[in-house]
Amino acid sequence: MTPEAELLTVSAAAEVAYCPRSFWYEVHHGRRKARNAAVEAGFLEDQDRLDRDVRRTPAKTRHLAVPVLSRRLGVRGEVDVVEELPDGALVPLEYRHGHSPGTATDRVAMALIAMALEEMNAVDIPVVRLFFMADREPVDRPIDAPLRAEAEATVTEARRILADPNPPPNPLLPRCNGCSWYDVCAPDLTARASGAQVVGTMARSAFERVVYVDTAGTSVKLRGEAIQVVRPKADDTAKEEVLLTVGLETLDQLVLSGRGVHASLPAIRKLSERGIDVTLTSHTGRYEGRFVSEGFRNPMLKRAQHRRSLDPAFRLACARTIVEAKVQNQRVLLQRQKRTQDDAASVTLLEEALAEMRHQAERAPTADSIEVLRGFEGNAARAYFRALDGAVLGGTPFSMARRTRRPPTDPFNALLSFCYALLTKDVEAAILRVGLEPSLGVYHSEVYGRPALALDLMEEMRPVIADAVALRLVNQKILKEADFKETLGAVRLTDAARRRLFEAWESRMTETVAHPTLGTGYSLRRTLEIQARLFAKALEGDLSAYVPFRMR
């Protein structure tokens, strides 16, 4: 006998016949599937059917929405209709979306329903009836011995799957593209990262349309199904000037930068209801927090993350990979800068730095501790910034003696710090979208309030996004020395400079780049989510190791 708490639903158990991985997600995530087109159509057909009255005729009685339970099998559920014939025989009837003959899931589900009704009513049920909505006619199916054995074996397999904390292997079947768990399972992502050839598209990334508000005195207010950025009119403070209107259907993220920017509670509440991320940064670019909707909760992924965070071997292996990829990406950025140099001394300096960084990257996989790995990364970073300063920035107002933070003491350090803050908020947004815990990292130490995992996953992307944006702004003279101001030893960007930085940042984030592992082009903002999903797949065991992003 199966205790009440351990009973499986008939629909969940039958899901094993469709896809064991889908079953694992459905049970462990504790929620109904997302409504894709097929699921939505099924709900509408069910509502249309259940709105009809119970019909009685001299030949039979129809009972609607009948609960069923089998403690022997350990399943419970509900059958759409049970037809009771005059001789006492029972015929369960289920409505199904689509055409006959149905699926293996339909076959197993009906067998389990029949066996549960037999146990409850002490009768034999040799036949079940399926009504396919597309065909508009019922089809009788015998419940024979082979089908009963298949149904019982499916329940046994379901319990075996549940005993494993990790999901079953990724099958990558043609029907995956229509599955409502597609966004969570990401079968094509796992397959591509493993080297398989895949045709199809991946789940959409969040945060493709971002609005920045950084002008002191401005407010964000709700206006119907849109938000407006307003400020008091200079000639009449009782009236407001509308600076920007954005429909909620086109907005994915709102960034409020600086203490002088406000948002009304109705606006924040509406954005949260619509799943629109609201991020807070200081006027210097420091990430301060975010308002985020409840979104999708993935307890099993978080459990895997907590378990892996206690595994020193896994943490070190991921950290080695991240550092090695970061240094290699920095080398690619320097190599690109080298191609623009005519000065022999600058070329020599870059070549020396590239050689040193190659050496440190080669040492990274041999590090036997996080502390040793940090030493290799530090050696590479010193060579990297020394080459940037001497060969690229030297002789300009953006020359820097060394990398400084908290506070930055020169314009380029201030620019880098602001870019790194923007990267932190975008990486954390991707992490939350995937369902990971931002505070549990593998390389950065876990300190109260620190998004350690965001800092981990942004390492390889610093040269790809943040450093590239900073160099573009300087090399193309979009920012000049006058765009920075010094206050008590700390250098900051002016208001106008911040706006140009925001524009350059979004331009870079929406650029399409070929993913070196997946072989397909994605925007860099979407790439951040892909990397977070690859990390999640390594946590769950779908991938043997985390696959970092490497520039080409």
Side-chain angles (χ1 to χ4, degrees), residues 289-306:
R290 66 183 353 107
F291 295 95
V292 61
S293 63
E294 181 180 56
F296 178 69
R297 294 175 292 177
N298 189 338
M300 296 309 294
L301 176 56
K302 283 189 170 66
R303 182 180 297 177
Q305 186 179 2
H306 279 268

Side-chain angles (χ1 to χ4, degrees), residues 296-370:
F296 178 69
R297 294 175 292 177
N298 189 338
M300 296 309 294
L301 176 56
K302 283 189 170 66
R303 182 180 297 177
Q305 186 179 2
H306 279 268
R307 186 174 65 252
R308 292 285 205 168
S309 71
L310 301 176
D311 182 352
F314 177 81
R315 294 184 63 152
L316 181 58
C318 285
R320 287 168 176 165
T321 301
I322 288 169
V323 170
E324 186 270 336
K326 174 189 177 181
V327 176
Q328 293 291 9
N329 289 344
Q330 288 174 327
R331 292 187 73 252
V332 172
L333 189 63
L334 287 186
Q335 287 167 340
R336 292 177 179 175
Q337 295 297 319
K338 177 186 169 185
R339 290 196 290 267
T340 67
Q341 297 295 322
D342 298 324
D343 180 64
S346 296
V347 171
T348 299
L349 181 59
L350 286 168
E351 289 176 345
E352 290 173 352
L354 289 168
E356 172 63 14
M357 293 171 68
R358 181 192 299 112
H359 176 58
Q360 300 302 330
E362 291 170 349
R363 297 176 71 189
T366 69
D368 57 6
S369 70
I370 295 291

Side-chain angles (χ1 to χ4, degrees), residues 216-232:
T218 56
S219 299
V220 177
K221 297 187 176 182
L222 182 67
R223 293 289 186 268
E225 289 298 304
I227 60 167
Q228 286 186 339
V229 181
V230 301
R231 68 181 176 191

Side-chain angles (χ1 to χ4, degrees), residues 397-470:
F398 293 95
S399 179
M400 59 178 184
R402 59 189 177 90
R403 176 76 180 106
T404 59
R405 306 175 297 163
R406 301 176 186 171
T409 56
D410 58 70
F412 196 73
N413 270 302
L415 182 56
L416 280 180
S417 293
F418 208 115
C419 288
Y420 291 155
L422 293 178
L423 185 57
T424 301
K425 66 94 176 170
D426 281 337
V427 172
E428 184 173 6
I431 287 171
L432 291 169
R433 162 77 173 167
V434 172
L436 291 163
E437 170 54 54
S439 64
L440 281 181
V442 292
Y443 182 46
H444 287 80
S445 57
E446 291 151 2
V447 178
Y448 182 83
R450 172 189 287 178
L453 182 58
L455 298 177
D456 288 347
L457 297 186
M458 70 181 277
E459 287 293 352
E460 69 212 52
M461 305 306 293
R462 287 177 187 260
V464 179
I465 301 175
D467 296 358
V469 169

